[in-house]
Amino acid sequence: MHRFHLPYHLIVDEGIFGKIPQVMSDVLDNPENMKTIIVTEGNLKSIFGEILENICGQFSDSEMYLINGATYDNAVSLAKYITMNDIKLVIGFGGGTVLDLAKFAAFVSKSNLISLPTTLSNDSLASPVAVLGTEGKARKTFKCTIPDAILVDVNVIMSAPTRQLLSGIGDTISKYTALNDWKIAFSKDKEHVDDFAYMISKMAFNSICYNDEKELKSKDFIKRLTQALVMGGLAMEIAGSSRPSSGSEHLFCHALEENFSEQVNVPHGIAVAIGSYGACVFQDRNIGKIKRLIKEYGVFKTPSEYGITKEIFIGAWQQAAATRADRYTILNETDLSDERLGNLYDEMENM
C-alpha cells in the first residue's frame, strides 16, 4: 500500500511570513536555530526584498539562494549544495518554478521543507511532484516530497497579478476532466483509482464550482482557492501519482509548452482550463458546467487571446498524447481530426 505524508500546517493569514519559527515550533526542535536556506528568484528578491530579509532574520543561521530556472540539473545542484553544507531546513518562496525546484531538492537531500507561495497559480504549493526541465524544451514530472508546512500570506497573494489567481482557478477547474480521464483509464484496466484521493480532488473542484464569493482578492476567496489547490496536491500524495489532478487537458498544456513555446505564452492554469473545455467535449460530458465556470471567473475569453491560433490548437491536441505516452486518457480513443478540432476551436472562439 502506498504510504503518504501530509503537511503539519496549512495556514492562510495576514503576516504569517513574519512568524515562521513560532508556527513550526510544535513539529521542529528549535527551528530558529536550524541551518536554513531560503530558495527564491532574483526578480522576487527585488519585489519582496524586505519580506525576504525578515524571513532570513528569523533564523540564526540562514542564507538566500537564487535559482536560475526550474531544471533538473539546477535542482540536483541545489540538493548537492544543501547536503554538502549540512542545511536542515529548506524554505521555498515563490511561484510554481521555485516551489517545484525547492521540493525536489528537499526530497533528494532529505531536508525539512516549508512552502511560502507568492502566487496561487497552480497546485505546486502542495503537490508531491516537481515539473522540471530536462533536455531542450522538454519537461518531466518527478516524484518528490510534499511540504511539511504551507504558509500563505494573504497580503502577498493580494499583491500578485489577477492573472495568476485566474491560473489557479483554471488549474482547479481542470480536475473535472482529469478525474474522468482517471475513470476512463480504470475502465480499460490501465489504472487503479484511489477512492479517497478521487473524493478529495472532487472536493477541490466543487469548492470552486459551487462558490458564491467571486471577489478574487478578498481574504475569503484566497483562503478557498488555497484550500482547493492544497486538496489537489494532497489527492496526488494519497494516490501516489498526479492522476487525480492531471488528464488529457494537462497533456494539451504539455504539448503547448514543448512544441509551441516560441509562439505561445500562456500560464499553466489557463492552458489546462482551455484544455478542459476540449477534453470535456471529447469525454461527451456537460460542457455547460465548464463554460459557466470559465465565464463567471473570467479565466479566459478565447484561445487566440493567448496567441493560440487554430493551427497551434490542432497541433497541440494531436501531439498531446505523445507528451505522456504512458498516461491513458480520452485522447487514446477519440477523433482528433483536423476538421473536428478546427470546429472545436471555432466554437471556443465564439464562446
Side-chain angles (χ1 to χ4, degrees):
M1 179 180 290
H2 172 67
R3 294 184 178 275
F4 55 86
H5 165 70
L6 301 181
Y8 295 108
H9 288 295
L10 167 62
I11 301 176
V12 183
D13 203 357
E14 297 178 35
I16 192 65
F17 290 174
K19 43 189 176 184
I20 298 170
Q22 297 95 306
V23 169
M24 298 303 298
S25 61
D26 60 338
V27 292
L28 298 176
D29 187 24
N30 295 318
E32 65 274 11
N33 294 321
M34 296 177 72
K35 195 168 186 181
T36 301
I37 188 168
I38 294 93
V39 181
T40 190
E41 294 175 306
N43 65 316
L44 291 175
K45 183 182 178 183
S46 65
I47 296 170
F48 298 108
E50 187 175 340
I51 292 174
L52 283 163
E53 289 298 328
N54 178 271
I55 292 170
C56 287
Q58 296 173 47
F59 301 90
S60 61
D61 188 359
S62 66
E63 63 178 293
M64 206 178 303
Y65 186 102
L66 303 182
I67 70 165
N68 182 25
T71 67
Y72 178 80
D73 289 341
N74 287 348
V76 171
S77 294
L78 174 56
K80 180 180 178 180
Y81 183 85
I82 292 168
T83 304
M84 295 297 291
N85 289 278
D86 199 29
I87 293 167
K88 302 300 182 184
L89 178 61
V90 177
I91 297 178
F93 181 96
T97 298
V98 171
L99 299 182
D100 275 358
L101 192 141
K103 281 188 298 183
F104 189 77
F107 171 69
V108 172
S109 62
K110 295 181 172 58
S111 305
N112 293 108
L113 172 65
I114 299 174
S115 175
L116 305 182
T118 55
T119 71
L120 296 179
S121 57
N122 56 59
D123 53 22
S124 290
L125 71 167
S127 65
V129 297
V131 181
L132 302 170
T134 51
E135 295 182 1
K137 298 174 184 176
R139 300 204 300 165
K140 185 175 179 180
T141 301
F142 297 89
K143 289 187 177 181
C144 61
T145 189
I146 201 164
D148 295 298
I150 302 158
L151 309 180
V152 178
D153 193 311
V154 173
N155 294 329
V156 170
I157 299 301
M158 284 183 176
S159 70
T162 300
R163 187 171 82 158
Q164 294 177 351
L165 291 173
L166 294 176
S167 183
I169 294 167
D171 204 33
T172 305
I173 289 173
S174 74
K175 289 166 177 51
Y176 185 69
T177 47
L179 288 170
N180 200 52
D181 270 326
W182 201 11
K183 278 190 170 182
I184 290 169
F186 174 74
S187 71
K188 301 295 183 179
D189 294 324
K190 304 292 185 180
E191 292 275 352
H192 166 73
V193 172
D194 184 299
D195 293 336
F196 191 53
Y198 185 98
M199 178 188 71
I200 292 178
S201 186
K202 188 172 182 179
M203 287 171 61
F205 170 78
N206 286 341
S207 70
I208 295 301
C209 182
Y210 303 109
N211 167 45
D212 293 330
E213 175 60 75
K214 297 298 191 298
E215 177 51 54
L216 303 191
K217 292 202 173 182
S218 68
K219 186 174 180 178
D220 286 345
F221 182 78
I222 287 171
K223 282 187 175 182
R224 183 177 289 268
L225 182 57
T226 299
Q227 291 165 359
L229 293 173
V230 169
M231 280 192 284
L234 299 187
M236 288 188 271
E237 171 71 1
I238 292 166
S241 79
S242 61
R243 289 256 30 173
S245 297
S246 176
S248 49
E249 73 296 321
H250 272 68
L251 304 187
F252 169 77
C253 175
H254 296 325
L256 285 176
E257 293 169 344
E258 293 177 16
N259 303 301
F260 302 100
S261 62
E262 293 182 3
Q263 301 104 303
V264 175
N265 181 21
V266 52
H268 169 85
I270 293 175
V272 297
I274 293 172
S276 278
Y277 190 104
C280 192
V281 171
F282 303 149
Q283 294 171 357
D284 195 25
R285 301 189 73 205
N286 179 11
I287 192 62
K289 183 177 289 188
I290 291 293
K291 189 182 294 187
R292 173 181 67 80
L293 290 170
I294 289 170
K295 287 187 172 182
E296 283 183 355
Y297 286 107
V299 178
F300 69 90
K301 294 183 177 66
T302 62
S304 61
E305 174 189 5
Y306 287 95
I308 302 175
T309 64
K310 183 180 289 190
E311 291 72 23
I312 290 173
F313 184 83
I314 292 171
W317 273 120
Q318 291 177 343
Q319 298 173 62
T323 65
R324 300 290 186 274
D326 60 338
R327 177 146 297 185
Y328 194 94
T329 70
I330 191 65
L331 300 181
N332 294 88
E333 51 188 66
T334 197
D335 172 20
L336 294 175
S337 64
D338 288 6
E339 181 181 4
R340 187 187 188 195
L341 292 170
N343 289 336
L344 175 61
Y345 181 85
D346 292 339
E347 175 185 326
M348 294 180 69
E349 284 291 294
N350 295 288
M351 184 172 57

